[in-house]
Amino acid sequence: KADQMDKAETYYKQAVDSEKDPLNLAKYYLELGQLNFQKPQLAKSYLKKSIENNPSAGKAYVMLGDLYAHNSKSYGESDFEKSQVFWVAVDYYAKAKKADSTVEAEANQKIGTYSQYFPPKEEIFFNGLTVGQSITLGGWIGESTTIREKR
């Protein structure tokens, strides 16, 4: 609240170091992910640790989806490459609602929003890919996903 993010991060890290309860660890890692949202690689690492400690942490999955969607423009060079990030974001929203029914409405809304940014089938074809094929996105994303078309 006092806008002292560096101190907050230090205190969260101290809390993580002294905590043994996985649910509390998941909460602390989620909050570290929130604090570092503008640093995608670091935020991703914290959010993944939140999920490791609590696989039912729907909010962490949603935040990972948000992280990918928010940073889609920083991935790749072409608009087509940037649109691929939305496949991964939607994957995480789907995982969120599967893991935690309390985030289902939010996840469904975001799936609807970001699915609109999937590339059309023709563009997928012209880039030498096939709908339904598995693909791994490189760089800081480092995630496998399924190619889907805009509907």
Side-chain angles (χ1 to χ4, degrees), residues 38-131:
Q38 299 304 320
K39 301 172 188 169
Q41 288 178 301
L42 186 56
K44 174 186 169 184
S45 172
Y46 286 135
L47 294 169
K48 293 264 187 171
K49 287 179 182 178
S50 177
I51 291 167
E52 285 173 22
N53 282 282
N54 181 9
S56 299
K59 289 180 182 180
Y61 289 107
V62 168
M63 193 175 298
L64 264 171
D66 291 348
L67 184 70
Y68 290 125
H70 180 77
N71 290 287
S72 64
K73 293 200 184 307
S74 70
Y75 180 78
E77 294 180 18
S78 68
D79 287 343
F80 177 73
E81 288 174 329
K82 293 174 187 333
S83 70
Q84 294 174 349
V85 179
F86 294 108
W87 295 328
V88 177
V90 167
D91 290 345
Y92 276 99
Y93 298 134
K95 289 176 184 180
K97 67 182 193 171
K98 194 173 190 178
D100 181 357
S101 62
T102 67
V103 299
E104 186 171 358
E106 178 183 10
N108 283 334
Q109 182 267 326
K110 290 179 182 215
I111 288 170
T113 297
Y114 292 116
S115 295
Q116 296 175 46
Y117 300 113
F118 289 174
K121 190 173 189 173
E122 301 80 28
E123 192 172 349
I124 293 168
F125 174 77
F126 287 128
N127 281 278
L129 301 173
T130 305
V131 172

